[in-house]
Amino acid sequence: METIKLNLWQKLIEVRKTVGYLQKENQGHQYKYVSSSQVLEALRGAMNDQGVLLVPDVKEHSVISREVPTSKGTNMEYFTELKMTYTWINADNPEERETLGWYAQGLD
């Protein structure tokens, strides 16, 4: 019996079918969120099973720092911005790939 080979988009749909809803369990300053490690943990097995790779590439980054007054003096605050691409790759056919732009920011 011949094995059916899925294209990249079909594999991504199979990954999506496998991974359930990710509950926002972490608390930020004024919001709840799912951490990147929770997302990776949930996706890793399904991506491995389907032979799908996700490759990040930082294109631009900036960090702005400033002193913020607190009741105990001052703290340093860092605002980071990233412009990235993520490339999905079909490991069974590495020429088959999809690259998407991504913007991210964070405040520490």
Side-chain angles (χ1 to χ4, degrees):
M1 181 176 267
E2 185 177 326
T3 304
I4 298 173
K5 293 195 179 212
L6 302 178
N7 67 37
L8 178 61
W9 293 105
Q10 291 167 322
K11 289 182 175 192
L12 290 174
I13 288 170
E14 292 303 313
V15 169
R16 187 178 68 191
K17 287 179 186 177
T18 303
V19 177
Y21 175 76
L22 299 176
Q23 186 69 36
K24 295 178 181 179
E25 298 174 351
N26 299 302
Q27 181 71 41
H29 291 286
Q30 299 175 5
Y31 56 90
K32 289 187 173 183
Y33 64 95
V34 176
S35 72
S36 57
S37 53
Q38 287 172 296
V39 173
L40 290 173
E41 180 182 345
L43 288 173
R44 184 178 306 263
M47 288 173 62
N48 288 343
D49 291 346
Q50 293 300 323
V52 174
L53 303 168
L54 181 60
V55 179
D57 184 18
V58 176
K59 300 296 186 182
E60 297 177 36
H61 74 281
S62 68
V63 178
I64 300 169
S65 61
R66 67 180 182 150
E67 289 186 1
V68 178
T70 68
S71 61
K72 297 179 182 179
T74 60
N75 281 343
M76 289 301 292
E77 183 177 84
Y78 301 93
F79 177 70
T80 304
E81 291 183 288
L82 298 174
K83 290 184 181 177
M84 307 175 63
T85 60
Y86 281 96
T87 302
W88 290 100
I89 301 170
N90 180 350
D92 295 326
N93 179 10
E95 294 79 30
E96 185 182 13
R97 50 184 67 208
E98 184 69 34
T99 300
L100 307 166
W102 194 263
Y103 171 81
Q105 59 180 232
L107 182 63
D108 293 325

